[in-house]
Structures are given as C-alpha cells and as structure tokens.
Amino acid sequence: MTNPAASPPTGVATGVGSMPGSDARAAAEIIAGEVGLVHLPELPARGLGADMIGRSAALLVDMPMDVTPSGYRLRSGGSTMGRQARDMLRTDIDALEEIWETRGLGGPDRWVKVQLCGPFTLAASVEVGGGHKALHDRGAWSDLVDSIAEGAATHAAEIRRRLGAQVLVQFDEPLLDRVIEGSIAPLSRLDVINPVPSQVVAEHIDALIDVVGGPVLLHHCGKRFPWHTVAQTKLWGVSLDIAHVRATNLDGLGEFLDGGSVVALGAVPSTDPGRELPAEHVVASVTEIIDTIGLSHDVFAEQLIITPACGLAGADADWATRALALATTVATALPQQ
C-alpha cells in the first residue's frame, strides 16, 4: 500500500543502506530490482570516505573532515579525504540516476530513500582540533547538528531534481542510546563526556527535521532503543532490528505504532544464515510481535516497512539480492494475515 503523495510508501521493503562490493551501478541495479522503496546505496568496501562516518565528509556544510592515525577529525581548510568522499557520492548518485531512468521509475508519487550519519553518532565518533571527541563540546556537536541538517537538505534537493522523486531522509544513529546515557568512551581519562539529556536530543532532532523539510526516519540497531527520546520528536518513523524488539523494547514499539508512526522492521538477516529461510517464517515472526502488542493487522500495510536487520555490507552480492527479495516477499504477504 502507498500512502498519499505527501508520505513515503508503507507495506513495502527497502534496504537499511549499505551494500557489498564497490560497484555503485551493480548495487543500484540490485536495489531497484528487488524493493519497492529504492534507496541510494552506500559502499563502505571502497574505504575512507565511503563508510557511514566518512560519507558525512561529503555532506557537512562548512565543517571539513579529514582522517588522522586515530580516526576521523574535523579540521579547518580543505581535505583530500573530503574530496574523495564527494567524488564517491557523485558516482553513487550518477549510478542510481542511470538505473532510475533505464527502469522508468520516475513520477510525482515515487519515493527514494537516502541515508546519512546522524549528528549524535557523528559527534561521538569524530575528533575536533583540541584532541577530544566532538560530543565533549556542546558547541561542537550543536554545530554538527546544524551542518548535517543543511547538508541533508541540499542532498535531498539534488536527489529530487535529478530523479524527479520525493525523498525520505534516514539518519543512522547507532550510538544514540549511549550518547543519552553517557557511556561514550572518551579519548582519554581526562576527557569527560557528559550524557546528553533525552529532551535536548529530541529538541535537536526536531530542529534537524525542520531544516530537512520532509519526512525523516531514524535508524538505530542497538539493543536499547531510545523510545522515550523518539516519542518526543516529529520523526516520521524509526528503523530497528527485530531481534532487539522483544522484552524491553516491546512496549515502546507498541506505543510508537499506536501513535500512528511508521516502523521499518529489520526482519531479514543481514548476512546469509546458512540455511533456508522461508518467507512464511519471517511473516510469522512479525505477526507474532504485532499480535503480542495487540494491534490491528492494518499496521502491516499502513505503518510497517520490511528491511534487513541492518546494512548488507557484510554480505555477498548473492545474499544481498536474496535478502532484499525476501523482504519484499514478506512485506507483500503480511497484509494477507
């Protein structure tokens, strides 16, 4: 089922973001052939500037990023790694545009998803010039929120222009729970990183959403999904791993869906399980969760998207294709339950 044109499609499958290999066109071909919500692939196997953090170097506005022996660092002036990241992003967009046109996927009601590293995970992962993580300094991480928001808006505008499609922006925040609870490891014992209150995180996420100017999906693949935080935001939806839904996350998931928001549920393994995985088994797992919560099966078509559990960078091309195809089969079968 597809929502009105103002909203991305639900009742379909998509990928979380990353794909195996280094061939942008091959990755885009697989994605466009297997899922209803096509996404711009990320190919971290290409090295620096192609992983989740490095790709931010192509999108941050007025905050150059480079690499040092200890990791990624924000710096002043130009950056060779930043130029490399921008070149790879252009290659990825060119490849998707070619596939998009070849397959005739354009149209005012068509949507495409792009993925970016969220500002809090980025702040917890990159250094600043003073030799500590950006998250140590509220001014630094606030600047990151503003910079990545502006970069995301520009990125989405380019995709809309080149593909003639509407854009769903996904922010990957795998470290968000640790940012909120204050468990991000500092670079040294003296570099204390204080927790960022949930309400403050929510306020900055909403500010980011306002700049993006369209629907935003937040992906978090950790065991402790920050339901309290996302419930305070204007997020269109969240993306998470089905393996982490049960027990402590079940109530949060139920409340989020009951409020009318969308969940992209990672119900398919991200790497080959080494055994046959019938679609019926995946359908049964998803159905069991919704039945346990006590929600109507209408959510299958109206509020769920099916994805692999996380990115597919660790898979081979064969499993990446099979995983996305399986996700589509599951998404198609669920409304019949």
Side-chain angles (χ1 to χ4, degrees):
M1 174 179 178
T2 301
N3 285 343
S7 296
T10 52
V12 296
T14 191
V16 172
S18 65
M19 291 287 287
S22 58
D23 186 332
R25 193 185 188 287
E29 187 77 63
I30 291 171
I31 293 166
E34 302 298 345
V35 297
L37 176 56
V38 173
H39 68 280
L40 180 68
E42 298 172 356
L43 301 171
R46 293 178 298 190
L48 292 172
D51 63 313
M52 181 180 68
I53 304 299
R55 169 151 284 188
S56 301
L59 298 166
L60 288 171
V61 176
D62 297 328
M63 295 187 77
M65 187 192 302
D66 213 334
V67 65
T68 70
S70 59
Y72 288 113
R73 175 175 289 185
L74 300 173
R75 52 166 291 173
S76 59
S79 162
T80 299
M81 192 278 293
R83 289 192 293 274
Q84 179 176 312
R86 288 189 290 275
D87 287 344
M88 287 188 287
L89 179 57
R90 280 194 293 270
T91 296
D92 296 345
I93 297 174
D94 289 345
L96 181 58
E97 182 179 22
E98 179 185 349
I99 300 301
W100 196 263
E101 293 178 352
T102 300
R103 289 178 172 265
L105 297 177
D109 295 335
R110 294 305 302 258
W111 284 80
V112 65
K113 180 169 73 73
V114 298
Q115 306 80 220
L116 301 82
C117 183
F120 291 99
T121 292
L122 189 59
S125 304
V126 303
E127 303 172 18
V128 293
H132 54 255
K133 290 184 177 178
L135 191 62
H136 171 83
D137 182 339
R138 176 160 182 166
W141 65 251
S142 294
D143 288 345
L144 274 174
V145 174
D146 295 341
S147 179
I148 200 67
E150 186 177 347
T154 301
H155 182 42
E158 179 181 6
I159 298 296
R160 281 194 295 271
R161 175 180 59 80
R162 293 182 59 172
L163 272 61
Q166 301 187 68
V167 180
L168 170 63
V169 176
Q170 173 184 307
F171 285 98
D172 294 320
E173 284 282 11
L175 300 181
L176 188 58
D177 58 329
R178 295 172 57 189
V179 169
I180 295 168
E181 67 186 21
S183 63
I184 295 296
L187 294 179
S188 73
R189 290 181 301 149
L190 301 177
D191 186 21
V192 177
I193 298 179
N194 294 317
V196 182
S198 179
Q199 182 178 350
V200 173
V201 171
E203 289 171 355
H204 280 78
I205 289 175
D206 277 353
L208 182 153
I209 292 170
D210 288 342
V211 174
V212 170
V216 169
L217 184 73
L218 186 143
H219 172 69
H220 177 80
C221 52
K223 293 181 179 179
R224 300 181 304 278
F225 197 90
W227 289 114
H228 177 67
T229 302
V230 300
Q232 302 176 66
T233 70
K234 298 182 289 188
L235 285 164
W236 176 76
V238 299
S239 169
L240 68 159
D241 183 346
I242 193 173
H244 300 150
V245 167
R246 296 174 177 83
T248 57
N249 279 325
L250 201 57
D251 289 342
L253 174 64
E255 291 174 5
F256 195 73
L257 285 169
D258 196 44
S261 299
V262 172
V263 172
L265 194 58
V268 175
S270 294
T271 55
D272 191 340
R275 56 179 173 79
E276 183 180 359
L277 183 61
E280 294 80 6
H281 290 188
V282 183
V283 169
S285 295
V286 176
T287 303
E288 179 186 9
I289 288 172
I290 297 303
D291 288 345
T292 300
I293 295 172
L295 294 176
S296 165
H297 284 195
D298 289 345
V299 302
F300 293 147
E302 298 173 0
Q303 291 176 257
L304 285 189
I305 294 171
I306 302 299
T307 74
C310 204
L312 294 168
D316 59 21
D318 179 63
W319 178 251
T321 304
R322 289 161 57 198
L324 294 178
L326 178 58
T328 291
T329 300
V330 171
T332 302
L334 277 167
Q336 303 168 21
Q337 300 302 301

